[in-house]
Amino acid sequence: MNLRDLHYLIAVADLRSFVQAADRCCISQPTLSTQIKKLEDELGIQIFERTNKKVLPTELGEQIVASARRILKEQDNIKEMAATAQDPLAGNLRFGAFPTLATYLFPQLVPLIKRDLPRIRLILVEEKTEQLLQQLRSGQMDCALLAMPIYEDFLESRVLFDDEFLLAVADTHPLAAKPQIEQHDLNGEHLLLLDEGHCLRGHALQICQTVGAEEEQDVRATSLETLRQMVLAGTGITFMPRIAVRDEPGIRYLPFAAPAPGRTIGLVWRKTSARGALIQQLIGLIAAASKH
């Protein structure tokens, strides 16, 4: 067994086809089939079920493929550690954030990274919090911006900035005339919220419970921009993070009386990461971008 065989194994598992896997690996289909059969004979097990129409990993095969992925990932990590040791501020940086932050912070942050870290190849990922945590855990992600606190033993974190919430209302809404929002102003109101899986939804539900507001049950959005358009259309009112606020006709963004609700944003990375010097540089750039 060698690393090349593991690449073949993963290709077949991914594509469910020896022909397509052979194309991906740039070898002939008979050669690929022979290598997989040799691997099965060496291990004394069947890794794939074969029919005329499809190829499927056996139950044990799924476990072996998962192990192969981990082994090849560790191979990549070894190469990356060596490259990082030679130049800590160069190479790929896989950097993530959740959608209600990434859309508004990345345009400010990316030019700063390009200016101050010119040898970094930036790979940006916009995903919900659970997917980001999974990618951090598996090593697919170097670092990510998340709402604090995060309780994961394998992660280090640094709090970077607070992002307060404002109430977004159409300028024709009865609350639009108020200079600021008190908690009792929302008692009995129905608020537009994001769909399941968005961390901002969790924050918003906590506020609703505190102030006696309710969720608008028949309407949910997949993005802050959709929420903004529904507010503009007079469909309802919603919470908007300050980082996403922009001046536009037809909408008012009303501050809350102290203590204002909000979220705390931090950078997280694996405790075992070899990118410490780069992450420290990134922390300073994120802090600067958040003030724009």
Side-chain angles (χ1 to χ4, degrees):
M1 185 193 309
N2 55 45
L3 294 176
R4 180 194 59 195
D5 292 338
L6 300 186
H7 282 288
Y8 295 165
L9 194 69
I10 291 170
V12 174
D14 286 347
L15 299 171
R16 300 293 201 261
S17 163
F18 282 98
V19 173
Q20 293 179 34
D23 286 342
R24 177 195 281 187
C25 298
C26 300
I27 60 173
S28 68
Q29 186 267 321
T31 299
L32 177 68
S33 298
T34 299
Q35 289 302 117
I36 295 295
K37 186 65 171 66
K38 284 182 179 179
L39 184 57
E40 289 178 321
D41 291 344
E42 179 184 342
L43 297 174
I45 59 166
Q46 183 180 358
I47 299 175
F48 293 106
E49 296 177 11
R50 300 161 174 83
T51 69
N52 290 333
K53 294 184 177 180
K54 61 183 177 181
V55 180
L56 292 174
T58 63
E59 183 176 350
L60 182 56
E62 291 278 15
Q63 298 175 41
I64 290 172
V65 169
S67 292
R69 293 188 197 278
R70 288 194 294 270
I71 290 168
L72 293 181
K73 180 60 187 174
E74 287 303 316
Q75 179 195 26
D76 290 340
N77 288 344
I78 290 170
K79 292 178 179 178
E80 189 169 295
M81 283 189 287
T84 299
Q86 295 172 13
D87 189 347
L89 303 182
N92 291 339
L93 175 65
R94 298 173 295 268
F95 177 32
F98 52 89
T100 60
L101 179 65
T103 302
Y104 309 100
L105 184 63
F106 280 169
Q108 308 297 330
L109 178 59
V110 168
L112 301 183
I113 294 175
K114 187 176 179 181
R115 180 195 70 194
D116 289 9
L117 299 168
R119 298 188 304 284
I120 287 296
R121 179 172 178 261
L122 191 59
I123 303 169
L124 297 176
V125 178
E126 182 179 315
E127 278 286 3
K128 295 177 182 177
T129 297
E130 283 306 312
Q131 283 77 20
L132 293 175
L133 287 171
Q134 180 56 42
Q135 291 185 40
L136 283 163
R137 188 177 291 109
S138 67
Q140 295 172 281
M141 181 85 57
D142 292 308
C143 55
L145 286 164
L146 299 176
M148 298 286 103
I150 293 292
Y151 301 106
E152 295 285 354
D153 290 342
F154 73 97
L155 291 176
E156 293 277 6
S157 65
R158 175 79 65 85
V159 170
L160 295 179
F161 63 94
D162 291 320
D163 190 17
E164 72 170 298
F165 297 155
L166 291 87
L167 187 69
V169 303
D171 57 11
T172 55
H173 192 279
L175 291 174
K178 297 183 70 68
Q180 69 176 14
I181 298 298
E182 305 285 346
Q183 286 194 5
H184 62 79
D185 291 328
L186 294 182
N187 188 24
E189 291 282 350
H190 287 71
L191 276 87
L192 304 168
L193 300 183
L194 289 170
D195 209 349
E196 298 285 352
H198 291 274
C199 61
L200 183 57
R201 173 182 172 79
H203 289 125
L205 286 172
Q206 290 177 0
I207 299 168
C208 287
Q209 292 171 2
T210 300
V211 303
E214 298 180 13
E215 177 187 3
E216 192 70 68
Q217 291 294 332
D218 61 342
V219 180
R220 287 186 185 174
T222 57
S223 72
L224 285 179
E225 293 310 309
T226 302
L227 285 180
R228 197 192 312 271
Q229 292 306 311
M230 286 196 286
V231 170
L232 188 60
T235 308
I237 62 177
T238 194
F239 299 114
M240 190 67 62
R242 180 170 288 281
I243 199 168
V245 168
R246 62 172 185 247
D247 291 331
E248 57 191 317
I251 297 183
R252 288 206 63 205
Y253 297 99
L254 307 174
F256 285 87
R263 58 188 182 181
T264 299
I265 304 301
L267 187 69
V268 301
W269 64 94
R270 286 181 303 283
K271 292 178 179 178
T272 56
S273 174
R275 314 299 299 272
L278 175 57
I279 286 169
Q280 292 308 310
Q281 291 259 8
L282 187 61
I283 285 171
L285 296 178
I286 295 168
S290 68
K291 296 173 183 175
H292 284 189

